[in-house]
Amino acid sequence: MDICKSHENASKCSMNTMECFMVLSTQAQKISIATLCGLFGTLCIFENSLVLYLIFSSPGTRRKPSYLFISSLALADILASIIFVCSFLNFHVFNETDFSKEMFLLQLGGVNTSFSASLSSLLLTALDRYISISRPSEYKLLMTRKRAWIALGVLWVTCATIASLPLLGWNCCTLNSTCSKLFPFVDDNYLSSWICFIMVLLGCIIYAYAHVLWRARQHVAYMEKHQAQVGKQNTRMRMDVMLAKTLVMVLTVLVLCWSPVLVLMIYSIFARLSNHLRKVFAFCSTLCLLNSMVNPIIYALRSKELYSSLRIVFSRFRRQLKASEESPEAESTHKSSVIET
């Protein structure tokens, strides 16, 4: 406890101080965290893998920039689930400290890269919807597959670079600066900068979606006024409105799941955190997994193309299952007829 009390000054960098961040004191708390991480993580990996399969198994969806951005979001959520669950359980549940400072910062960088890429993919999706609704006649010229892949490349490189800064030297041990009260070895100034980066992304997404919703309402009013008209323009409008509503639902879930974590991060920069608040932060961190788990459910329910692909996959699976159940009966019937003969 003396080490933990001295660590409140956030000036220690020895491996012993890592025990001060292991705030789950009872077996019930560890079991609860392990259950939440196991459940959310498993469902997240399965659902997002299914989304990737549905997108890339269909030529119609994998060629569209919109679904390339959604596939980037699904990939980021899969990586975030794997890295987060493994490192989080290893640290908080099994209390493993048998690794170096560099290994811990590498794991933290992987989690930050994945979650930052997830949020950045939402930003690209929002910008894609923004261009589609604000400039529909020029959309195909402005948003090509080549530009979409370049944007995704810049996105992932930027997120990986920002997340690796603590490993490259921007940490409180190397700089002998003030350490974070929530993460071992992390510099308070870096945490503040990362929070600002996330807040800027959220602000841009909210602005883009506000414009998309405004234009979507105009499209709804237009379609209600011209219900007799049927054509590609109306179909295009219906798709834009559906995708806009879908992505707003994704953003709502994102804000609800990330707000507690961001609020506690900001609070930790300006005030001393009690052990109770650190435990709250540990449980709130699992909400990030919940967000990654809910996103593909929203896609399956709201995207007609993904939903129809999902129905085809399920119907194909049911036919194969039915055929496998009937084949032994047919084989036994055939054998009995041969014996009778």
Side-chain angles (χ1 to χ4, degrees):
M1 289 299 295
D2 294 336
I3 297 175
C4 295
K5 287 181 180 179
S6 65
H7 183 68
E8 289 180 356
N9 296 325
S11 59
K12 298 288 184 179
C13 278
S14 65
M15 293 302 295
N16 292 331
T17 60
M18 294 188 67
E19 297 178 1
C20 305
F21 294 89
M22 299 174 182
V23 293
L24 302 182
S25 55
T26 65
Q27 197 68 20
Q29 293 173 355
K30 293 181 180 181
I31 293 175
S32 300
I33 283 286
T35 303
L36 291 174
C37 288
L39 178 63
F40 293 162
T42 303
L43 289 176
C44 179
I45 294 172
F46 171 75
E47 293 170 2
N48 284 286
S49 299
L50 182 60
V51 169
L52 287 177
Y53 172 78
L54 294 177
I55 290 175
F56 287 98
S57 63
S58 172
T61 54
R62 67 168 175 257
R63 292 196 185 101
K64 295 180 179 179
S66 303
Y67 289 101
L68 287 179
F69 298 144
I70 291 176
S71 64
S72 174
L73 176 61
L75 177 62
D77 287 337
I78 291 174
L79 294 177
S81 300
I82 296 173
I83 302 173
F84 177 84
V85 170
C86 292
S87 59
F88 196 79
L89 293 182
N90 195 40
F91 186 81
H92 283 290
V93 176
F94 300 108
N95 299 136
E96 289 289 338
T97 58
D98 190 21
F99 48 83
S100 63
K101 176 193 71 176
E102 289 74 19
M103 180 58 65
F104 177 85
L105 292 177
L106 179 63
Q107 293 177 358
L108 185 63
V111 174
N112 286 345
T113 299
S114 304
F115 281 126
S116 300
S118 177
L119 190 57
S120 300
S121 298
L122 272 178
L123 175 60
L124 287 183
T125 311
L127 294 176
D128 174 74
R129 290 299 91 206
Y130 179 90
I131 296 173
S132 176
I133 266 187
S134 61
R135 306 173 71 175
S137 59
E138 305 173 34
Y139 173 75
K140 290 187 176 180
L141 295 176
L142 294 174
M143 189 57 67
T144 60
R145 292 184 75 250
K146 182 180 179 180
R147 290 180 178 178
W149 282 111
I150 292 175
L152 289 175
V154 172
L155 178 158
W156 281 90
V157 170
T158 302
C159 292
T161 302
I162 294 175
S164 62
L165 289 178
L167 183 62
L168 297 176
W170 192 355
N171 58 75
C172 58
C173 301
T174 303
L175 301 177
N176 196 24
S177 56
T178 304
C179 297
S180 168
K181 289 88 174 175
L182 290 173
F183 305 100
F185 315 122
V186 174
D187 181 72
D188 250 352
N189 292 326
Y190 171 79
L191 182 61
S192 303
S193 302
W194 188 81
I195 292 172
C196 290
F197 171 65
I198 296 299
M199 297 300 289
V200 168
L201 288 179
L202 280 173
C204 294
I205 293 173
I206 292 172
Y207 173 79
Y209 280 143
H211 183 82
V212 167
L213 274 183
W214 176 64
R215 293 301 297 265
R217 291 188 64 181
Q218 288 185 329
H219 284 183
V220 170
Y222 176 84
M223 286 187 290
E224 290 177 352
K225 189 176 181 180
H226 302 81
Q227 288 182 353
Q229 294 182 2
V230 179
K232 288 186 177 180
Q233 187 67 20
N234 256 357
T235 304
R236 180 70 182 179
M237 286 181 181
R238 288 191 184 94
M239 186 180 69
D240 287 340
V241 172
M242 179 65 72
L243 282 175
K245 292 180 179 178
T246 299
L247 298 174
V248 167
M249 291 175 63
V250 172
L251 178 61
T252 303
V253 173
L254 178 78
V255 172
L256 291 177
C257 291
W258 274 85
S259 293
V261 173
L262 290 176
V263 168
L264 287 173
M265 283 184 182
I266 295 173
Y267 181 77
S268 70
I269 296 174
F270 301 101
R272 181 180 299 175
L273 288 179
S274 64
N275 284 335
H276 175 70
L277 284 179
R278 290 183 181 183
K279 291 178 183 179
V280 171
F281 179 78
F283 278 92
C284 288
S285 299
T286 60
L287 292 176
C288 303
L289 279 179
L290 177 63
N291 168 63
S292 300
M293 184 194 74
V294 170
N295 283 344
I297 297 177
I298 298 176
Y299 303 147
L301 293 177
R302 301 291 300 179
S303 173
K304 288 186 176 180
E305 291 176 287
L306 289 183
Y307 184 70
S308 60
S309 299
L310 184 62
R311 291 184 62 182
I312 293 173
V313 170
F314 276 137
S315 61
R316 188 185 306 161
F317 176 76
R318 288 176 61 184
R319 285 197 301 268
Q320 292 177 352
L321 187 63
K322 188 176 181 181
S324 64
E325 290 177 352
E326 291 178 350
S327 57
E329 297 178 0
E331 186 177 354
S332 61
T333 305
H334 175 70
K335 286 183 177 180
S336 62
S337 63
V338 171
I339 293 172
E340 290 175 359
T341 304

